Amino acid sequence: MPEGPSIVILKEEAQIFEGKKVIAVSGNSKEAIDRCQGQKVIAFKTWGKHFLICFQDFTVRIHLMLFGSYLINATKEAMPRLSLNFDNGFINFYSCSLKFIEGDLDAVYDWSADIMNDHWDVKKAVAKLKAQPATLLCDALLDQHIFSGSGNIVKNEVLYRLRLHPLNKIADVPPRALSKLAKETRTYAFDFLRWKKEFTLKEHWLAHTKSICTRCNIPLHKAYLGKTKRRTFYCDNCQQLFKPKPSSS
DNA sequence: CCGGTTGTTCAGCG
DNA sequence: GCGCTGAACAACCG
């Protein structure tokens, strides 16, 4: 389920419980989830792929990882990791990572790094990119400190849209292209959000899981690239690989 | 039925 | 301490 836009959808769906008091807690989490009992939800927030349930003095951080899921006012066979009950319904989280964050969230999260956040800062993202000249684009787009909320689909689609080869080293990519990349990552994330709500996300994929380049009509490459070794779909013909700068070994 | 995956952390090693 | 690798987690789809 979980790239940034999917977590924004979760936040929107959870809105019905904002301001509500937790009247029952259960779940198989090893964390002390009982402390949520009787607490009022101050707000639901997201930071990239993190779903944050904010109470007065602490926050529950849910990360759905690869396999996590949630249900609102519905159940399934599996035991929830966390179940929160309110007077108007309940929300269950399954097979997710759950942690508590104490105190002020602003001390923990850089909101300007979240591609879905109103405080998203393109310039800061570009500066972070430039600070890691040896990093490959395919890895940079999965770096949650630079593009919090970006995942493997976003990575593949953004690089394909901008005709940038995933194996480009940041140092070799012109600054203007880096700036475009940062902007387009947010733009695509909001397209993702809209299409996911319409249940048409998959049909809008241009590269991810595709076998043919629709621009060149030749086979796309599928390879596990970069430090992250994640599945990458790309076209050798139309996705530009910039020449290495002499200084960059 | 098996293989693969929209993700992250951590132990172990050289 | 570093970077790299593999394991672990765990659910669903095709």
Side-chain angles (χ1 to χ4, degrees), chain A residues 47 110 112-114 120 125 128 132 142-148:
Chain A
W47 182 83
D110 172 10
S112 76
D114 177 3
W120 160 250
K128 289 176 201 166
Q132 314 187 17
L142 294 174
D143 186 331
Q144 300 302 297
H145 300 291
I146 307 176
F147 296 112
S148 174

Side-chain angles (χ1 to χ4, degrees), chain A residues 15-234:
Chain A
Q15 284 304 306
I16 52 170
F17 303 128
E18 207 164 81
K20 292 284 182 177
K21 193 203 282 185
V22 175
I23 57 175
V25 185
S26 60
N28 62 11
S29 172
K30 287 170 190 163
E31 300 292 321
I33 55 178
D34 284 349
R35 64 190 290 201
C36 301
Q37 174 74 42
Q39 295 282 323
K40 191 172 81 178
V41 174
I42 307 294
F44 293 108
K45 297 183 181 181
T46 66
W47 182 83
K49 300 163 190 170
H50 296 201
F51 179 64
L52 303 164
I53 308 170
C54 307
F55 296 103
Q56 188 62 52
D57 300 317
F58 63 89
T59 295
V60 175
R61 192 207 80 175
I62 302 280
H63 197 309
L64 296 177
M65 312 298 280
L66 257 187
F67 308 123
S69 62
Y70 66 92
L71 287 173
I72 293 171
N73 297 332
T75 56
K76 59 178 183 178
E77 282 288 316
M79 168 80 79
R81 176 90 3 109
L82 174 70
S83 178
L84 295 177
N85 291 256
F86 305 89
D87 66 14
N88 62 339
F90 61 94
I91 184 165
N92 288 352
F93 298 93
Y94 302 89
S95 54
C96 56
S97 161
L98 186 157
K99 285 186 177 167
F100 282 98
I101 298 171
E102 307 302 328
D104 184 15
L105 275 188
D106 293 344
V108 176
Y109 289 110
D110 172 10
W111 304 106
S112 76
D114 177 3
I115 60 174
M116 305 303 293
N117 197 283
D118 290 344
H119 296 97
W120 160 250
D121 189 327
V122 175
K123 283 182 186 172
K124 279 192 190 173
V126 173
K128 289 176 201 166
L129 288 169
K130 287 177 178 169
Q132 314 187 17
T135 300
L136 304 179
L137 290 187
C138 59
D139 287 328
L141 275 161
L142 294 174
D143 186 331
Q144 300 302 297
H145 300 291
I146 307 176
F147 296 112
S148 174
S150 172
N152 209 34
I153 297 170
V154 172
K155 174 195 83 177
N156 282 320
E157 291 298 303
V158 170
L159 290 174
Y160 184 80
R161 276 184 169 191
L162 294 179
R163 302 175 186 241
L164 289 169
H165 199 288
L167 291 176
N168 274 304
K169 276 166 65 176
I170 288 171
D172 301 329
V173 179
R176 194 172 300 160
L178 290 180
S179 186
K180 269 193 184 175
L181 177 67
K183 286 196 190 106
E184 191 64 26
T185 302
R186 177 174 166 91
T187 300
Y188 178 73
F190 279 90
D191 287 341
F192 183 129
L193 174 63
R194 190 176 71 252
W195 290 329
K196 176 114 187 164
K197 285 178 179 174
E198 293 172 351
F199 305 103
T200 62
L201 179 63
K202 285 184 190 182
E203 57 197 73
H204 283 93
W205 286 344
L206 300 175
H208 194 253
T209 73
K210 297 295 176 183
S211 51
I212 303 284
C213 174
T214 52
R215 290 194 291 244
C216 307
N217 205 30
I218 60 171
L220 281 182
H221 286 273
K222 172 186 160 186
Y224 294 80
L225 303 183
K227 265 191 251 188
T228 46
K229 291 197 175 88
R230 298 294 303 282
R231 201 162 56 134
T232 309
F233 298 86
Y234 62 100

